[in-house]
Amino acid sequence: MYRSMVTLQIMDTIFYEAQRQGRISFYLTSMGEEAINIATAAALTSDDVVLPQYREPGILLWRGFTLEQFTAQLFGTKDGNDKGRQMPIHYGSNQLNYFTVSSPIATQLPQAVGVAYSLKMDNKEACAVAFMGDGCTSEGDFHAGMNFAAVLEAPVIFICRNNGWAISTPISEQFRSDGVVVKGQAYGIRSIRVDGNDTLAVYSAIRTAREMAIREQKPILVEALTYRVGHHSTSDDSTKYRSSNEIEHWRTARNPTTRFRKWVQTNGWWRDEDETELRESIRKHVLNAIQVADKTEKPSLEELFTEVYDRVPPNLREQEKSLRETVKRH
Amino acid sequence: MWGIIRQRAACKGNHALNLEQGIRAIALRAFSSSAKQMTVRDALNSALDEEMSADPKVFIMGEEVGEYQGAYKISKGLLDKYGPDRVVDTPITEAGFAGIGVGAAYYGLRPVIEFMTFNFSMQAIDHIINSAAKSNYMSAGQISVPIVFRGPNGAAAGVGAQHSQCYAAWYGAIPGLKVLAPYSSEDARGLLKAAIRDPDPVVFLENELLYGESFPISDEVLDSSFSLPIGKAKIEREGKDVTITAFSKMVGYALQAADILAKEGINAEVINLRTIRPLDRSTINSSVRKTNRLVTVEEGFPQHGVGAEICATVVEDSFEYLDAPVERIAGADVPMPYAANLERMAVPQVEDIVRAAKRACYRSR
């Protein structure tokens, strides 16, 4: 788990820089939320279907998405498994049971209930897992998803990463309830609040939540308290609405990765040399992946028209033909 | 000048020819000479029943679909037959059950989501468009969404502005969706079956006032394997003087208008669009190339409507064949009023279609 947390950190740092250098159009980091990302992934099985919001690439990382695959999606190359259709960080992988990230907030919540309903009808030993942020709980779909999950008795775990900020909106302006855990109770859903920066606590909570959800075929809500160390995304400069001291504090003293490292080292399973070696090798790997992606071709013209429907309809074939002719002429 | 002489000759009409056209029209309307009748409601109900029986992944979800037997009784008897796991009554959250349907479709089930009226679909429209329509494309084929959103669309009678809007043009604009609008019982059965079997998301626009209407139906249509092709319009009545396109309830009005026009020597060809997206451009254009005149009919608002799209299509593909400007008949550009007299004026009537056809034939101003 620790290695993955470090990989996520380094990946985030380098890709963020790449956007700053103009090599990709957009990026969003999960800094400060590495524990939630990796510990939940570790506590689930690969059969559990994940519907992310957008700050959970660690799940994909844990399940085997390679650095090359991440880079291909960010750079929109022909090797991306989304064929360059989605903007950066909107990853998705069928094989890894991770649904493609969708920009509108909270749409994944009722959809997760639908997935859970399918799993229930198939009698599978698995659950649906939907992630959300604190801001997401204000959307109408949050209400829809929670209510339905309770009424339909769907095996879904709702995980709320309460990181204190929704772009520039602090939680005090987002809701006046005592956090998110009480909202779950209002729907008749068993809910728990956990320290999202404590890797072991998150692991333990999700393990148990999963067992309960599948055994009893009922939803669970987990509110993981954490802090969004990075800016909302590369389109944001959070020093404009919060103090750099606050950010520094959570980046250093309260950092979940550092905290877990201390525990792992104290148990004698990790040394400083391992740390340096690991960071070096990951850095090299990420930089290499970027170089490769930079040189890789973008998707071919025909991919503009495929997968709009199951089969390419005649009107799109015509449009493709006329596009090719125009390109040829000019 | 030539145009006027040509149309005078055409519109004068030959009575014997008209009679032959009439008989052929009746034969076309009924698939064969069988005398069985079926209401649109029963057509939809039987289609749902047969598709649920054939594929255990098909399930129905919506408000009042189960215990109440369906707000308009379209799902009558299905709860008893298939149980609450496959006929799911929901709380009043369109965004919720549309979203759940999309999620279930993502994972491999084949949901049929009912909106009590498509006016309420606006509360769930993000799921229909941003999730259902776009997911296959955005995920490069990893997520397909074999979902059907169905329910009554357009005006009913005396239900006011928020219950009467037609959504054909809204959904018809979205790549990734297929949009169907049945008219007869044969259309209802064939298109609903095709929609449920289709791997892409389908918006299925029914009409409340047509539910109770009876149509003749053949044995072929009654067979459980029957289905109609999506993207193919039907020529309900052949003609040679003017083409009238319509969908859903307006097809009935167009046919009535055609009967009236026939008495005045104008032989109208009536096209039942059946599919709004993908629009059957080739049938429409072939017809206009034959008749040289076009009247489009729809209940919805005129601006950015289905008729506007058909007109653009014909101008793009068959401009030289048009002998007159395209006439567009649509609902009035106002939210639907409630008072019966006002409502009547806000929706196209048979006389409006007749007048438009005559204008297209230069028989009146």
Side-chain angles (χ1 to χ4, degrees), chain A residues 65-80:
Chain A
F65 210 60
T66 64
L67 288 171
E68 285 73 22
Q69 284 178 296
F70 277 113
T71 323
Q73 197 278 336
L74 294 172
F75 280 74
T77 69
K78 67 172 176 41
D79 293 334

Side-chain angles (χ1 to χ4, degrees), chain A residues 158-160 162 171 175-185 189-198 201-202 205-206 220-226:
Chain A
F158 292 106
I159 303 179
C160 177
N162 184 342
I171 43 178
F175 40 69
R176 288 299 162 87
S177 55
D178 175 13
V180 173
V181 70
V182 294
K183 297 192 192 192
Q185 288 179 323
I189 294 181
R190 282 160 316 163
S191 313
I192 189 172
R193 170 177 285 157
V194 70
D195 177 355
N197 283 3
D198 180 340
V202 175
I206 302 299
I220 310 274
L221 169 67
V222 176
E223 177 184 14
L225 298 181
T226 180

Side-chain angles (χ1 to χ4, degrees), chain A residues 305-306 311-323:
Chain A
F305 300 100
T306 50
R311 296 207 190 132
V312 184
N315 66 320
L316 288 185
R317 284 200 203 285
E318 264 179 55
Q319 289 178 26
E320 185 188 339
K321 224 173 91 199
S322 90
L323 180 58

Side-chain angles (χ1 to χ4, degrees), chain A residues 256-268:
Chain A
T257 312
T258 320
R259 187 167 160 187
F260 194 49
R261 176 184 172 178
K262 284 202 190 116
W263 184 79
V264 175
Q265 285 204 230
T266 316
N267 274 293

Side-chain angles (χ1 to χ4, degrees), chain A residues 85 94 111 117 304 309-310, chain B residues 85 126 131 137 142 177 200:
Chain A
R85 302 264 173 73
N94 235 7
Q111 287 167 8
Y117 192 74
L304 182 63
Y309 293 102
D310 190 62
Chain B
D85 276 351
D126 180 85
S131 297
Y137 189 74
Q142 293 183 84
L177 284 182
D200 295 312

Side-chain angles (χ1 to χ4, degrees), chain A residues 49 81-83 85-86 92-94 99-100 104 107 110-111 113-115 117-119 121 124 141 144 147-148 152 304 306-310, chain B residues 85 88 90-91 93 95-97 99-100 102-104 106-107 109 126-127 130-131 136-143 176-178 199-200 277:
Chain A
V49 184
N81 70 339
D82 68 338
K83 294 191 190 172
R85 302 264 173 73
Q86 284 270 49
S93 168
N94 235 7
F99 277 100
T100 307
T107 53
Q111 287 167 8
V113 180
V115 171
Y117 192 74
S118 303
L119 289 170
M121 285 187 54
K124 271 196 126 155
D141 269 344
N147 196 34
F148 269 93
L152 293 180
L304 182 63
T306 50
E307 282 118 10
V308 179
Y309 293 102
D310 190 62
Chain B
D85 276 351
V88 184
T90 67
T93 322
F97 59 79
I100 288 176
V102 172
Y106 280 172
Y107 202 70
L109 292 183
D126 180 85
H127 281 292
N130 270 333
S131 297
N136 197 38
Y137 189 74
M138 292 194 307
S139 72
Q142 293 183 84
I143 306 177
L177 284 182
K178 289 181 178 163
D200 295 312
R277 171 178 266 267

Side-chain angles (χ1 to χ4, degrees), chain B residues 129-182:
Chain B
I129 297 183
N130 270 333
S131 297
K134 300 181 185 173
S135 282
N136 197 38
Y137 189 74
M138 292 194 307
S139 72
Q142 293 183 84
I143 306 177
S144 80
V145 195
I147 194 170
V148 175
F149 296 104
R150 50 158 291 273
N153 173 61
V159 288
Q162 294 173 329
H163 288 68
S164 307
Q165 191 168 328
C166 173
Y167 290 85
W170 281 35
Y171 292 120
I174 311 300
L177 284 182
K178 289 181 178 163
V179 181
L180 306 178

